[in-house]
Structures are given as C-alpha cells and as structure tokens.
Amino acid sequence: MSENINVLKMENVTMQFGGVVAVNNLSLEVNKGEIVSLIGPNGAGKTTAFNVVTGVYAPTNGAVYFNGHEIVENYPRGKMKKLYAGTDRGKFTKHIEPTPDKITKLGIARTFQNIRLWKSQTVFTNVLIAKHLRRTSNVFSATFRLNWKEEKEQREEVNELLKILGLYDVRNELCTSLPYGLQRRLEIARALATNPSLLLLDEPAAGMNPQETAELTDFIHRIRDEFHLTVFMIEHHMDLVMDISDRIYVLNFGALIAHGTPEEIQNNPEVIAAYLGESEEEAEEALAEHKE
C-alpha cells in the first residue's frame, strides 16, 4: 500500500521534563498509505511522541516534518540549557512551535487513549463541531447567517460521513449512550471530519473485547483505503498490531530499540525482553501465538 513517499518524519526528537527524559533521540518515518505502529511498555514515551507531533508539547530538542515540510523544531533553551540530558545538543537552532489547531489544519488528526467526546452532545454534533475547523466564515458572517450555504454543506458532509462509518442510525443519540466500541468509532469519525491525510490513533482498541478488536482491525483497514489515509498508531493489543501494521517501531524507556516488519519484530530478542517483560521462554511462546 505504501508509495514510499514520506508523510511524517521525526528527527532526533528528545522530550525532557525537568530531569526526566521521556523520549530520547527518536527518529522515525511513516510513508504514504502505510499503517505504522508504535509499541512499547507503559511509560515508554509513546503518547509523549504523539503529543510532540500534534503540538501538545514542544520538543526539548529535535524536529518534525510533515509531507516534506518542517512543522516543529526546538532546542534546549532557558533552564534546559543546563538540565538537558539528551543527545544532539547544538544540531537544531530554530524554534517552531505551532499549536494543536494549526497542526490539525495542516492535515494531521488524532484520537486519544481515553475517549474525549463532548459528552453532552449528540453523535451528529460531535462530528459537526470538528468539521467547523474547515469553515471559512467569521463571527460577523455567522452572526447574520451569511454562511448558511457552508453550514448546509457541512451538515450534509457529516451525514454522509456517519453513513459511511455506520453511525448514521444513532446520529441523534447522546454520544455517552453508545456502546464502548461505537464511541471509539465516533472518536475516529470526529477526527476524519477534519479531512486529515495522516491519522494518529492512540490505543484505539483499549478496553475492547476480542470481537470488537477484530471489527476495529477491519474498520481501520477500510478507512485507510476509503479515505486515502496514512495511519500512525499506538497499541498494546499485539493481535491488532501484528495483523494490521506494515511496519512497527518499538520504544523502551523513551529510546527506540527496534524497527521492522511484524515478522522481524516478533523475532527480535530485545523486543521480547523489553516489551513483553516475561522470561524469554514465555515471551517466545506468546509471540508464537501471533504467528499462527
């Protein structure tokens, strides 16, 4: 599926909080059309890496590129000049720190480990609010309803999106009334409403049973193809990761310890030891189940 066109690139990214290095010198690439997974133990720095890409955090050092254009860069400044414990000090010299809304407008959307829907709103309204990111109207035109054509078009687009994603029949229900699996799907629908080309999924299968996880696997494949997306995903469910990923990056204590195809990751001794946290014999048995 990949066209070997680089969509996302993280270059020597370090994220340090005080004296704690959460992500250490992380470099990775995600190519167009790929589904790439970022895995590792709890606390390995996975969500921190996502937060750097999406503008939640400015990295302490390093750069991020999207579709060949640099969108984030930073270097140790202020007190961090003395505290910095990462690598590549002096390599980066610019300060580029866009806010999350600007990152989203570029075409990068994300979901969260803990579902963050607008609980008092309906399914339809949750998606429509996200669609407003692409509005061209201002306060004046909205106040006097001069933007009614755009509003109508966006409402039609939301209904079409809900039909495609199997949420149209529940469009008028409060999002909190939905089963857990549909709430996850709604969060993805809300991200898709921003018209991204790169979709970041932070543990989309968290809390799901095996049947829901299998359905999510098919769902992610389908939206990747139908919406022409590139997907970068954090996930702990190894069945999902191994079934869906073109390539996998593995973090441990903030540092990249492995990168490769699912088969290569399954057979990597360092991944077996660090990620599974079991004896080598038990880990090999667990990984063998995913190969069957």
Side-chain angles (χ1 to χ4, degrees):
M1 180 61 67
S2 169
E3 299 180 22
N4 293 320
I5 298 173
N6 188 247
V7 172
L8 176 69
K9 178 180 178 181
M10 301 182 72
E11 182 181 358
N12 305 118
V13 168
T14 294
M15 187 70 234
Q16 183 173 334
F17 301 96
V20 177
V21 180
V23 174
N24 190 5
N25 197 36
L26 175 61
S27 294
L28 58 79
E29 296 182 355
V30 180
N31 295 322
K32 186 175 182 180
E34 283 187 313
I35 298 176
V36 175
S37 292
L38 182 64
I39 68 172
N42 288 328
K46 304 181 298 296
T47 296
T48 299
F50 265 32
N51 285 338
V52 169
V53 172
T54 55
V56 177
Y57 298 148
T60 310
N61 197 51
V64 179
Y65 300 83
F66 178 58
N67 286 331
H69 300 285
E70 187 177 34
I71 61 171
V72 173
E73 183 176 332
N74 203 13
Y75 59 95
R77 296 175 294 128
K79 294 181 179 179
M80 191 54 66
K81 287 183 178 180
K82 293 182 178 180
L83 289 174
Y84 187 63
T87 59
D88 293 299
R89 180 192 292 270
K91 179 176 181 179
F92 301 94
T93 59
K94 292 182 289 185
H95 178 219
I96 306 173
E97 186 181 351
T99 54
D101 62 307
K102 291 181 179 178
I103 294 288
T104 305
K105 287 181 179 179
L106 291 175
I108 301 176
R110 71 172 294 181
T111 63
F112 296 86
Q113 182 177 348
N114 299 314
I115 296 175
R116 297 186 184 181
L117 298 171
W118 289 293
K119 297 180 180 180
S120 63
Q121 302 297 323
T122 65
V123 169
F124 179 88
T125 304
N126 262 273
V127 181
L128 181 62
I129 291 171
K131 177 67 74 173
H132 286 170
L133 178 78
R134 300 296 178 187
R135 273 192 176 184
T136 60
S137 59
N138 53 35
V139 174
F140 177 83
S141 60
T143 301
F144 293 96
R145 297 302 308 273
L146 302 177
N147 64 330
W148 65 271
K149 287 186 178 180
E150 184 177 43
E151 176 72 18
K152 180 182 178 182
E153 289 174 358
Q154 290 196 334
R155 285 178 171 273
E156 292 172 349
E157 290 169 0
V158 169
N159 279 325
E160 186 61 29
L161 178 61
L162 292 176
K163 289 176 183 177
I164 293 172
L165 300 185
L167 294 168
Y168 184 76
D169 290 342
V170 295
R171 66 191 182 282
N172 294 320
E173 295 185 20
L174 284 177
C175 64
T176 51
S177 70
L178 299 182
Y180 185 81
L182 287 185
Q183 289 189 37
R184 283 286 181 190
R185 184 172 295 202
L186 173 57
E187 191 176 35
I188 294 174
R190 188 176 61 178
L192 293 177
T194 66
N195 296 330
S197 58
L198 173 63
L199 178 62
L200 276 60
L201 302 176
D202 192 346
E203 295 196 36
M208 289 188 175
N209 60 41
Q211 180 179 347
E212 290 172 329
T213 301
E215 291 173 353
L216 178 67
T217 301
D218 293 337
F219 180 69
I220 294 173
H221 266 132
R222 184 164 68 86
I223 63 172
R224 187 270 304 269
D225 295 340
E226 291 188 17
F227 291 89
H228 307 290
L229 293 170
T230 300
V231 179
F232 189 29
M233 178 178 70
I234 295 172
E235 188 50 68
H236 281 291
H237 283 242
M238 293 300 290
D239 286 331
L240 174 59
V241 169
M242 296 301 170
D243 286 345
I244 206 171
S245 304
D246 295 303
R247 293 184 297 113
I248 301 170
Y249 288 90
V250 187
L251 284 181
N252 192 32
F253 295 108
L256 186 66
I257 63 170
H259 160 238
T261 64
E263 182 178 3
E264 290 169 338
I265 295 301
Q266 286 173 334
N267 292 290
N268 187 300
E270 195 170 359
V271 175
I272 292 173
Y275 182 71
L276 295 176
E278 302 168 334
S279 69
E280 188 172 340
E281 293 78 9
E282 291 173 331
E284 287 177 349
E285 289 178 3
L287 283 174
E289 295 178 0
H290 299 292
K291 299 177 185 179
E292 295 177 354

